[in-house]
Amino acid sequence: MLRTEGLPSWLDPVVHAARTVEPLQLSRFLPPESGAGRQSAVLVLFGEGERGPELLLMERAGSLRSHAGQPSFPGGALDPEDGDPQGEGPLRAALREAEEETGLDPRGVQLFAELPRLFIPVSDFVVTPVLGWWRTPTPVGVVDPNETARVFTVPVSDLTDPANRATAIHPMGHAGPAFLVESALVWGFTAGVIDRILHYAGWERPWDRTRQVPLDWRA
């Protein structure tokens, strides 16, 4: 299900980064050696919009028990019909969840790489980031308002703009990268993956890491 043929040349650095990056270069939170954790996948979908390369994101509904109101990649837990979690299961799950959450047509998406599995301790998810190229874009939007508040794209140029970057400070004291884009504060797991992709693809621009953004107490 993974193919790199026919990708736009600007994705070459991302393809190279996905092939060479080590798990600890992405996060200090790695899956438990015991095998515990809920297997899941997210779709990191690159497209090309009016302002050049962009990423597809969504904002989770505020009523959800886990990560309510947070901008995120489309994705979720693997279902039995997705298949082997150690095989192509995450790839199928990423496409299925993206279709269910945003309405995109998975036939227009070319999957080209997987990043190493990561862990989200607060929700016990073992997450496989699946990278895709939106070869044939289709209309997207909120499918179920009980799960999704909105669906939007963010130009990569906005994500690399130093004016849109900050360090998010959680009420518990944790710090991590954040992006202030499209009237949203992207933080947590999603911001961490974006930050590392920008870095290892060579797209990152110097930014003020002392600029802090406090998170709401509900985060």
Side-chain angles (χ1 to χ4, degrees), residues 123-166:
S123 54
D124 199 38
F125 276 117
V126 175
V127 186
T128 301
V130 178
L131 308 187
W133 159 238
W134 210 354
R135 177 177 294 282
T136 307
T138 50
V140 292
V142 174
V143 175
D144 183 354
N146 292 317
E147 291 193 3
T148 308
R150 65 171 174 143
V151 177
F152 58 101
T153 57
V154 181
V156 171
S157 59
D158 284 354
L159 294 168
T160 59
D161 186 342
N164 297 332
R165 303 213 55 179

Side-chain angles (χ1 to χ4, degrees), residues 17 55 85 91 96 118 120 131 150 156 171 197:
L55 276 176
L91 307 180
R96 176 183 54 75
L118 305 174
I120 304 180
L131 308 187
R150 65 171 174 143
V156 171
I197 289 176

Side-chain angles (χ1 to χ4, degrees), residues 1 5 10 23 28 36 46-47 50 56 62 72 76 88 111 126 167 169 183 197:
M1 292 179 66
E5 298 82 4
W10 56 262
R28 62 189 178 92
F46 290 90
E50 295 181 358
L56 178 69
S72 68
E88 293 187 341
L111 303 181
V126 175
T167 297
I169 306 298
S183 302
I197 289 176

